[in-house]
Amino acid sequence: MENNKTAVFGGGCFWCTEAIYKRVKGVEKAEPGYAGGHVFNPSYKMVCTGTTGHAEVIRVSYDPKIITFLDLLEIFWHVHDPTTLNRQGNDIGSQYRSIILYQDDEQKKSAESSLKNTDASGIFKNPIVTTIEKLDVFYPAEDYHSDYFTNNPTQPYCRAVIAPKVQHFLEGYHENK
């Protein structure tokens, strides 16, 4: 784990993205949190108002010998809808926006290239609206958000939204744990 790298993505509800990335070979940890806003140390309640500027994100710790940042981006494009502004399904607000928060020039260039290539590929009917921004601060979410899907499998949102996303991902992605 000492040579792991991190990536920060926002693709709507962090419960969904965490549940998916935790199932990827080479991902050591997927941690829900908040980033991209202007409020110091925000809470879930604050972020849900849509006034903090923060998005629900996950910080992915990964082993680059097993999976690359580009591989993580490829997953990112396919596990949410990057063409809807401030929305993922019924989750509406800037806190659910599609965002990649880069940590260095290499990640920035990779994210920009990946976005351009994915947009040009035509796999989405509408243009990608994902923003690529420099990560300022990542604020970990409250403890009860970690492993939310695993710990709350019968919760209605988990059954209706997260479970189908995870199942779809597992059926189409072959490098899962």
Side-chain angles (χ1 to χ4, degrees):
M1 284 195 49
E2 65 186 48
N3 293 319
N4 280 3
K5 293 189 173 190
T6 59
V8 179
F9 305 116
C13 169
F14 52 28
W15 297 337
C16 294
T17 50
E18 178 203 37
I20 289 169
Y21 278 99
K22 282 191 160 234
R23 287 161 171 76
V24 175
K25 186 177 180 183
V27 170
E28 302 296 328
K29 186 176 183 183
E31 178 182 16
Y34 317 107
H38 58 272
V39 172
F40 175 76
N41 201 22
S43 67
Y44 182 67
K45 186 175 181 178
M46 292 167 67
V47 172
C48 284
T49 68
T51 62
T52 66
H54 289 291
E56 288 191 13
V57 298
I58 58 161
R59 179 168 55 188
V60 177
S61 177
Y62 65 99
D63 183 341
K65 290 184 235 129
I66 298 173
I67 191 165
T68 67
F69 182 68
L70 285 173
D71 293 331
L72 295 173
L73 286 168
E74 186 70 21
I75 293 166
F76 172 77
W77 299 123
H78 295 291
V79 298
H80 81 295
D81 183 351
T83 70
T84 55
L85 186 62
N86 298 331
R87 175 184 199 140
Q88 287 300 305
N90 290 328
D91 294 331
I92 300 170
S94 62
Q95 67 271 29
Y96 301 113
R97 68 188 180 273
S98 178
I99 186 171
I100 299 166
L101 293 142
Y102 65 88
Q103 297 169 71
D104 56 36
D105 287 339
E106 183 180 334
Q107 281 189 350
K108 180 182 180 184
K109 288 176 189 168
S110 294
E112 290 171 344
S113 175
S114 180
L115 185 153
K116 182 181 174 188
N117 292 339
T118 303
D119 210 18
S121 74
I123 62 171
F124 297 107
K125 288 189 303 186
N126 298 313
I128 292 175
V129 297
T130 304
T131 61
I132 299 171
E133 302 173 22
K134 181 155 182 55
L135 176 65
D136 182 25
V137 179
F138 172 87
Y139 296 102
E142 297 82 352
D143 288 344
Y144 72 91
H145 293 293
S146 293
D147 295 314
Y148 192 84
F149 178 60
T150 300
N151 294 331
N152 300 280
T154 60
Q155 196 262 7
Y157 186 87
C158 292
R159 290 180 22 194
V161 178
I162 303 173
K165 277 188 172 193
V166 169
Q167 185 62 38
H168 178 74
F169 169 73
L170 293 173
E171 289 169 357
Y173 187 73
H174 302 289
E175 292 295 323
N176 46 19
K177 292 182 181 179

